[in-house]
Structure formats: structure tokens, C-alpha cells
């Protein structure tokens, strides 16, 4: 393995406020040639983690090992990492070409100025900034500056590339193109990268594994398909996927699940291993796994929207709100009571106390 | 429509120019008047009513540069050029020392949180609050004791009270405005902390450092009280030296005016030189963010 974070903690001592624990006991391994995304909402500790790896934040506790060396106390320039900054951080007086080539000038692999410039031109071409090389950072738009920052990180032959929200400022279309190209470039170079993002599409598109963080704690790390099909807890289940997973608090009864505050209704789940009757659980099913128009359950339509390629139908079921997604137009009226159901293979059961996953309809292979 | 717009814009432009001229007259009049005075003899200056037309004389400048003041009561030695040299030496050395100490300190205060950091920074600023006369008596006693009274070293040291807080606080705010990420990027690219500081942080804060240095220079140049108490004749700057123009036979207005003109010149030259830096800073500032 190339990068290993072990028991990593970041605590900001609050001299003028409470102590903030930004990262709590983080263990994460990244194999050589692997791309891992740190995914989470703002303030979840993902950027703090990245900056600790780069050496901009002191590590409060724990160790960082990169390519067999303990690096957590080394100065940034001795760690062998490159970084793309969310705020670009370009050198204002230098041209774009000089900005990108800056870190190469020390490299032995590029002894001549021509070799550096050829490499710079190549990477700039890939990121669609080849025609901007003679300009200064102040003459570029935010999206262009961001690509320069990304180019500066990718051009270097580092043990680890750290990418902090590398595409946040780009046009959606360009973003889609560049995700593929950047991933391909990293893969063909056999490069290892840690990517910080709050955009799950970006994480899914670029990363081999996604590490979901919340409140400083790593919730789950795995391929995108595992996060979707077997989320480790309720947070990951509702965080991954759009619209979020339906989560229904329920009580286990002998015949299945009884939604809280609903005396009459029972959801029968004969094939799903449920905890002992009387346990509190949360029943989860993704919106596009709810089948409208057929099934044993009954719900009242509250609203429906056609989004151009899919329909979102909101139904009330036993005092709870459920969202269903259908890729075909559905003809339901607001206020109408309709039957609905789901395949048992698509349900998730979480512990009602701590949110831990107890059972998944589809067990990952 | 468009034509009336042009005419409407033309009038305010004329008014603006007019207002500008008024403001300039208001501010430049004393300087212009002193400039004219410096080419007149005492008798011409004291004529009532004053005349705008006169035959200019260089006698004031000649007296200052030769160091011989001829008055009705006789000839008087006048170390004005030496005073001017003292002023230049004291101000330049004080600002240089302040920059040497203040810029790294400002960087530390801007970039790092450390125990008592804010308190130290504020204490340094508070040197500017204290009236100089309050500290002068104990200071001069200590300086006598230490052998620092009437030395350049002692004066430059005391001038730090003027220059250091100014430079520290102005430069600090410049460093705070610069994103530390640029320095981080440089460090990740394979450079030590020290090189990031000298190659990235200082050049980017250059305009602020130039502005602070210029301001500190002007304050140091114009200082009067410290030098009055702590320096004797051969170490005095122009501000104190100008007292010599108040002679037994009257006040030498012409020479005072000429002395003022001569003592403005170095600061003016410095300001004009530093202006290029300040403007460059504005265009650099647009890059931030």
C-alpha cells in the first residue's frame, strides 16, 4: 500500500471557543495506483485530512505513512506529494506555462527547459488550457485558473496527488469530459491520488473507492456500488444517491415491520433477516426501487413532478413521506390512493438506535 | 438623447476639474509659499503688504550649504547639511532595522496562532499610544546610564518606537490578505518554509512593505522630540537643527524656508520612487482569490 493513515486525529484547540474535533481516529489505506475520494458535506473533515497529508495542518494524533516512510512530521516539501488547491493558489507574477512547469524545474526527469515545456504543453492540452499558456493568472476565469492548479498538481511525478475539489468551478459539460480524462491520465501513469469532493457524481466517476466522512468520522470506504447497495449505516444510505433513500422508522413485529405511529399497517418481509420482534429499526428503500401501481401497500399521492426524464412521486404512507422515482410517465392524481410495493432484494434494515446496517436485501458479492 | 448625455457629462467633468484645482490650491499653497519664501531675503519676506514679485536670491541656500549664517549680529556656524545627513542616516537605518525585524514578525502574527500572540502584537502597537514625552525622561536617564545617549545606535533604537509598530501592523494586514495556499503550493512543489517566505510571501506583500516603509520613513524623518532630548548638536536631525534659525537677532524666515525645501526633497524623492511600487501592488492585488 502506498498511503496509510492510522488513528489520524485533528483537534483545533479552542482558545476562544469550544475544542473542535475535525477528524476523529481515521484509518484509511490507499493502494499504489488507486484513486480514493473523500466525500462529505462541508465541515466533515475531508479537507483537514487532505491538508494533514500535505503537511499544512499539524497532525494532532496518529500516523501517516507514504511509500514506506512516516511523513506526519516532515515539512511539505519533503513529503513527495503534489496538490491541486480549491482556491487555485497560482503564482501571480508567473505565466500559466511557468506556473504549471514550476515544480518540474527541480525534477531530474526533465533536465532541459524544452523537456519541461513539452510536458507542460501535453498536460495543458489534456485540460483544454493549451491556448492560455502565455497568459497570467489574473487574465483567466475561475474555471481556467482551477484547471491550471489541477495541471500543476498532475504534471508532477509525485508519490501521491492530492486534489482538493479540483473541478468545482468548471462548467458541467467540461467537468464531465475532464473527469474521464484526468482519471485516464492518472491510471495510465499508475499514479496514486486522494480526491476531496462534495459531489458524489465526481467521486463515483473518478474514484476506485469512496470514503464517506461525516462529523470527522469515516463512515464507510468502498467502491461506489458497495456504498449504494450495502451502506454501512443510515448516514451513508441517505447521503449517497439522489433523491435520498426513503427511511421509515419501524418496529419489528412477528409478521414483519410496523411503521411507527401506524397501528394497522404491516410490511411483510419474509425473506429479510429481521432482528427480534420489539426492536426498533429503520426501514430503507431507494426511491427508484419503489414500484408504483402494484404491490401490497397503499399510499396517498401528495405531489408529482415530471423532470424531463423521470417522474418524482411523493406519497404518504402510514403517516410518513416516501419518494418514488419512475423512469416512465405515471398517471396518478394528487389525493389518489394507489398501491405500491418493492422487491425484497432492494430493502435495507438499520438499527433504530445507532443507525448501523443490520440487513441488506442484496448482499454484496 | 445621447448628445444630451455627452453635454451632461461635460459639465460635471468641468466642475470636477474646478473642484480639484481648488483642493490643490488649498493644500499646495503653504508649500508654494514656502518655496517662494526660500528665494527671498528676510527683509523681502517681512514687507507689508507682501509682494508676489521680487528678485529671487540664492543667499538662503548658499548660507545653508556653506554652513555660515550671516546675520545682523554677525556670522554664525550652521551645521544644516550635517543635520540633513543625520536625518537621512537615522531615518534610513531605523526603517531598515524595522523592516528587518517587523516583516518576519508581521508574517508570524499573520500566519501562526501562538500563545500571547495577539497580546504581543497589541503591546507593540501600544507604543504608538504613549505620548513620547511620557517615556522620554526615564529613557534619557537610562540612556545616560547605558552610554547610549547621543549615539546613533541609541537614536535608531528609540526610533523603533515609531517605525516598528507601523510596519508591523500594516505589513501584517497585507500578509493576512494573501492566501497562504500560494505559499503551500510553493512548498509542496519542493521548497522550504524559508524560501516560500522570501520568494513568495515577501514579493506578494511587496507593495504593503513599500507603503509601510515609506510611511515609517516619513514619521521617523519628522520626529522631533526624541532627537531633541537624546541627541546633541552633531547627531541632531533637521527637525531639531531648524531651531538654530531662531537667533538672537531674530528669526531667519528665508533660511527656515530654504531648510524646509531642502528637507522635503529626500522624502519627496522617496515617495515618487516608491509610488511605482504602490501602483504595481494594486495590479497584483487583482490576482488574489
Amino acid at each position: 500500500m502506498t498511503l496509510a493513515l492510522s488513528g489520524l486525529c485533528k483537534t483545533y484547540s479552542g482558545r476562544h471557543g469550544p475544542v473542535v474535533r475535525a477528524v476523529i481516529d481515521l484509518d484509511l489505506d490507499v493502494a499504489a495506483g488507486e484513486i480514493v475520494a473523500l466525500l462529505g458535506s462541508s465541515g466533515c473533515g475531508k479537507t483537514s485530512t487532505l491538508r494533514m497529508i500535505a503537511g499544512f495542518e499539524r497532525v494532532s494524533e496518529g500516523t501517516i505513512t507514504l511509500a514506506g516512510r512516516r511523513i506526519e512530521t516532515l515539512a511539505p516539501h519533503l513529503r513527495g506529494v503534489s496538490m491541486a488547491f480549491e482556491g487555485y493558489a497560482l503564482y501571480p507574477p508567473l505565466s500559466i506555462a511557468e506556473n504549471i512547469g514550476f515544480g518540474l524545474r527541480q525534477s531530474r526527469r526533465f533536465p532541459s527547459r524544452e523537456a519541461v515545456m513539452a510536458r507542460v504543453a501535453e498536460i495543458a492540452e489534456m485540460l483544454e488550457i493549451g491556448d492560455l499558456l502565455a497568459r497570467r493568472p489574473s487574465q483567466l476565469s475561475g474555471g481556467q485558473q482551477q484547471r491550471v492548479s489541477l495541471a500543476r498538481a498532475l504534471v508532477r511525478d509525485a508519490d501521491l496527488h492530492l486534489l482538493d475539489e479540483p473541478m468545482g468551478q468548471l462548467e458541467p459539460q467540461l467537468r464531465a469530459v475532464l473527469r474521464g480524462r484526468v482519471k485516464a491520465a492518472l491510471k495510465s501513469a499508475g499514479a496514486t491520488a486522494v480526491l476531496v469532493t462534495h459531489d458524489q457524481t465526481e467521486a463515483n466517476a473518478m474514484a476506485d473507492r469512496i470514503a464517506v466522512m461525516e462529523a470527522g468520522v469515516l463512515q464507510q470506504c468502498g467502491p461506489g456500488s458497495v456504498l449504494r447497495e450495502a451502506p454501512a449505516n443510515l448516514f451513508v444510505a441517505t447521503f449517497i444517491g439522489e433523491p435520498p433513500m426513503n427511511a421509515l422508522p419501524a418496529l419489528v413485529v412477528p409478521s414483519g415491520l410496523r411503521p411507527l405511529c401506524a397501528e394497522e399497517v404491516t410490511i411483510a418481509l419474509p425473506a429479510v433477516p429481521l432482528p427480534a420482534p420489539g426492536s426498533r429499526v429503520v426501514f430503507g428503500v431507494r426511491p427508484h426501487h419503489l414500484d408504483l401501481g402494484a404491490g401490497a401497500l397503499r399510499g396517498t399521492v401528495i405531489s408529482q413532478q415530471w423532470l424531463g426524464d423521470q417522474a418524482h412521486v411523493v406519497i404518504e404512507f402510514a403517516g410518513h413521506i416516501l419518494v418514488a422515482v419512475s423512469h416512465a410517465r405515471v398517471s396518478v392524481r394528487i389525493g389518489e390512493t394507489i398501491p405500491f410495493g418493492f422487491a425484497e432484494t432492494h430493502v435495507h434494515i438499520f438499527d433504530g438506535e445507532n443507525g448501523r446496517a443490520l440487513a441488506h436485501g442484496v448482499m454484496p458479492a | 438623447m445621447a448628445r444630451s448625455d455627452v453635454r451632461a457629462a461635460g459639465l460635471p467633468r468641468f466642475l470636477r476639474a474646478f473642484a480639484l484645482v481648488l483642493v490643490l490650491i488649498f493644500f499646495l499653497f503653504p508649500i508654494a509659499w514656502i518655496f517662494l519664501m526660500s528665494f527671498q531675503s528676510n527683509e523681502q519676506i517681512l514687507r507689508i503688504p507682501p509682494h508676489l514679485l521680487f528678485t529671487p536670491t540664492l543667499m538662503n541656500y548658499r548660507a545653508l550649504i556653506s554652513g555660515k549664517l550671516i546675520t545682523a549680529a554677525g556670522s554664525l556656524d550652521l551645521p544644516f547639511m550635517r543635520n540633513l545627513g543625520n536625518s537621512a542616516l537615522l531615518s534610513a537605518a531605523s526603517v531598515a532595522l524595522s523592516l528587518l525585524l517587523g516583516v518576519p514578525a508581521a508574517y508570524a502574527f499573520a500566519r501562526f496562532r501562538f500563545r500571547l500572540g495577539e497580546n504581543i502584537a497589541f503591546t507593540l502597537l501600544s507604543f504608538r499610544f504613549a505620548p513620547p514625552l511620557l517615556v522620554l525622561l526615564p529613557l534619557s536617564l537610562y540612556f545616560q546610564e547605558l552610554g547610549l545617549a547621543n549615539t546613533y545606535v541609541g537614536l535608531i533604537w528609540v526610533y523603533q518606537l515609531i517605525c516598528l509598530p507601523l510596519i508591523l501592523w500594516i505589513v501584517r494586514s497585507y500578509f493576512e490578505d494573501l492566501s497562504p495556499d500560494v505559499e503551500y503550493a510553493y512548498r509542496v512543489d519542493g521548497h522550504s518554509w524559508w524560501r516560500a517566505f522570501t520568494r513568495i510571501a515577501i514579493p506578494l506583500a511587496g507593495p504593503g512593505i513599500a507603503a509601510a516603509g515609506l510611511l515609517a520613513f516619513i514619521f521617523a524623518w519628522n520626529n522631533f522630540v526624541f532627537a531633541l532630548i537624546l541627541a546633541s548638536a552633531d547627531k541632531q536631525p533637521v527637525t531639531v537643527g531648524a531651531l538654530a534659525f531662531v537667533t538672537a537677532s531674530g528669526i531667519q524666515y528665508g533660511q527656515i524656508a530654504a531648510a524646509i525645501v531642502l528637507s522635503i526633497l529626500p522624502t519627496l524623492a522617496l515617495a515618487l520612487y516608491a509610488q511605482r511600487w504602490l501602483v504595481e501592488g494594486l495590479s497584483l492585488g487583482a490576482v488574489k482569490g
Side-chain angles (χ1 to χ4, degrees):
Chain A
M1 114 217 8
T2 288
L3 175 73
L5 311 179
S6 172
L8 199 63
C9 291
K10 179 66 198 177
T11 309
Y12 294 101
S13 63
R15 194 150 34 96
H16 302 293
V19 171
V20 178
R21 302 184 70 192
V23 178
I24 301 164
D25 204 18
L26 174 64
D27 293 315
L28 183 68
D29 293 341
V30 180
E34 194 183 20
I35 304 172
V36 168
L38 298 178
L39 178 67
S41 44
S42 45
C44 73
K46 57 192 195 297
T47 295
S48 288
T49 304
L50 201 72
R51 295 176 84 88
M52 280 194 281
I53 300 171
F56 308 151
E57 300 273 4
R58 196 168 295 169
V59 172
S60 303
E61 260 176 74
T63 62
I64 304 173
T65 314
L66 177 61
R69 292 188 304 157
R70 284 276 293 274
I71 60 164
E72 72 268 11
T73 54
L74 292 181
H77 66 287
L78 302 174
R79 295 192 177 197
V81 301
S82 78
M83 180 153 170
F85 289 82
E86 188 185 7
Y88 326 139
L90 305 179
Y91 312 125
L94 300 186
S95 74
I96 298 311
E98 289 166 326
N99 258 288
I100 299 173
F102 199 90
L104 290 184
R105 291 200 294 206
Q106 281 85 6
S107 168
R108 251 186 240 142
R109 262 182 55 203
F110 300 94
S112 71
R113 202 181 144 70
E114 286 70 38
V116 169
M117 280 306 144
R119 176 87 179 107
V120 166
E122 184 190 335
I123 206 113
E125 220 42 66
M126 179 186 93
L127 295 171
E128 311 266 336
I129 46 174
D131 50 339
L132 305 174
L133 288 177
R135 302 220 201 148
R136 310 256 150 196
S138 58
Q139 298 165 311
L140 266 54
S141 72
Q144 290 167 332
Q145 291 192 46
Q146 186 158 48
R147 279 176 278 159
V148 176
S149 183
L150 182 56
R152 187 174 59 180
L154 294 179
V155 80
R156 281 206 20 230
D157 176 26
D159 289 334
L160 179 66
H161 299 280
L162 303 171
L163 312 176
D164 190 1
E165 304 273 4
M167 299 189 187
Q169 296 296 318
L170 304 187
E171 306 277 323
Q173 205 170 4
L174 187 60
R175 202 182 299 173
V177 174
L178 292 192
R179 269 181 210 137
R181 281 196 203 167
V182 169
K183 177 167 185 177
L186 286 169
K187 286 292 168 196
S188 73
T192 313
V194 174
L195 163 81
V196 158
T197 181
H198 64 267
D199 176 357
Q200 31 177 307
T201 316
E202 189 170 302
N204 274 308
M206 291 185 67
D208 301 315
R209 281 189 301 146
I210 301 171
V212 179
M213 290 184 75
E214 169 64 10
V217 177
L218 177 64
Q219 305 289 327
Q220 189 175 8
C221 182
S225 56
V226 171
L227 298 191
R228 266 189 309 278
E229 286 162 18
N233 57 36
L234 192 58
F235 176 81
V236 176
T238 50
F239 187 77
I240 301 280
E242 173 59 37
M245 181 186 280
N246 293 303
L248 201 65
L251 200 65
V252 181
V253 292
S255 54
L257 291 181
R258 169 161 301 153
L260 291 189
C261 323
E263 295 301 315
E264 316 293 301
V265 189
T266 308
I267 307 170
L269 294 168
V272 178
L274 291 175
S279 314
R280 286 267 204 100
V281 296
V282 175
F283 164 78
V285 60
R286 295 202 182 273
H288 55 272
H289 289 144
L290 279 182
D291 307 319
L292 297 179
L297 302 170
R298 295 283 177 278
T300 310
V301 177
I302 293 178
S303 77
Q304 66 154 323
Q305 307 154 36
W306 174 246
L307 302 180
D309 59 343
Q310 52 182 271
H312 286 194
V313 180
V314 181
I315 53 182
E316 194 203 322
F317 166 67
H320 299 274
I321 299 290
L322 299 178
V323 179
V325 170
S326 160
H327 287 279
R329 273 186 181 275
V330 283
S331 53
V332 292
R333 287 190 318 275
I334 289 172
E336 187 183 359
T337 299
I338 55 167
F340 71 96
F342 45 81
E344 258 186 276
T345 47
H346 287 136
V347 306
H348 307 267
I349 306 294
F350 303 95
D351 190 305
E353 304 293 324
N354 56 27
R356 221 153 29 82
L358 300 174
H360 299 293
V362 180
M363 279 304 181
Chain B
M1 188 66 198
R3 195 175 292 169
S4 74
D5 276 353
V6 171
R7 232 179 297 155
L11 189 65
R13 194 179 300 164
F14 167 75
L15 282 177
R16 203 186 303 166
F18 183 70
L20 211 60
V21 168
L22 278 183
V23 169
L24 279 179
I25 287 175
F26 181 81
F27 282 110
L28 291 182
F29 175 75
I31 294 168
W33 192 249
I34 283 166
F35 186 72
L36 290 177
M37 270 169 71
S38 72
F39 292 102
Q40 300 175 41
S41 68
N42 234 15
E43 294 72 37
Q44 285 170 311
I45 293 167
L46 295 173
R47 257 181 321 190
I48 293 181
H51 290 239
L52 266 181
L53 290 173
F54 57 91
T55 33
T57 168
L58 285 173
M59 59 171 279
N60 296 323
Y61 290 98
R62 206 177 301 129
L64 288 177
I65 291 166
S66 67
K68 287 266 183 283
L69 184 59
I70 319 287
T71 67
S75 161
L76 197 67
D77 274 343
L78 193 71
F80 178 76
M81 293 314 282
R82 192 182 165 88
N83 289 340
L84 201 61
N86 285 340
S87 271
L89 175 73
L90 288 173
S91 307
S94 309
V95 171
L97 182 63
S98 280
L99 287 174
L100 211 62
L101 297 172
V103 171
Y107 183 77
F109 284 128
R111 283 284 181 270
F112 306 113
R113 300 268 157 268
F114 46 91
R115 195 190 297 262
L116 296 179
E118 266 332 291
N119 300 341
I120 296 169
F122 191 77
T123 306
L124 284 166
L125 181 68
S126 71
F127 293 161
R128 300 282 305 158
F129 306 160
L133 285 172
L134 208 68
V135 289
L136 260 175
L137 181 66
L139 207 59
S140 65
L141 291 175
Y142 280 126
F143 268 39
Q144 303 283 358
E145 198 84 5
L146 292 167
L148 284 171
N150 196 30
T151 60
Y152 286 123
V153 174
L155 278 173
I156 289 168
W157 196 351
V158 172
Y159 273 34
Q160 296 308 306
L161 286 178
I162 306 166
C163 301
L164 194 56
L166 209 63
I167 285 174
L168 188 74
W169 277 80
I170 295 178
V171 175
R172 177 190 180 175
S173 74
Y174 260 80
F175 280 134
E176 278 172 349
D177 283 349
L178 295 171
S179 162
D181 278 353
V182 181
E183 290 156 49
Y184 288 145
Y186 189 76
R187 293 178 65 186
V188 159
D189 271 350
H191 301 92
S192 65
W193 166 84
W194 175 251
R195 276 170 65 107
F197 173 58
T198 54
R199 300 284 175 82
I200 300 288
I202 290 185
L204 288 183
I209 296 172
L214 179 65
L215 214 57
F217 187 89
I218 293 170
F219 274 87
W221 185 275
N222 290 342
N223 179 262
F224 174 74
V225 196
F226 288 132
L228 176 71
I229 307 291
L230 296 173
S232 69
D234 63 326
K235 306 279 191 318
Q236 276 170 354
V238 276
T239 43
V240 181
L243 285 178
F245 299 116
V246 185
T247 65
S249 61
I251 299 171
Q252 306 298 316
Y253 289 107
Q255 271 115 18
I256 291 181
I260 290 173
V261 171
L262 284 180
S263 61
I264 284 175
L265 286 178
T267 12
L268 191 67
L270 194 68
L272 288 177
Y273 172 74
Q275 203 172 27
R276 285 190 314 182
W277 273 82
L278 300 179
V279 173
E280 198 173 313
L282 293 180
S283 62
L284 260 183
V287 180
K288 284 184 295 194

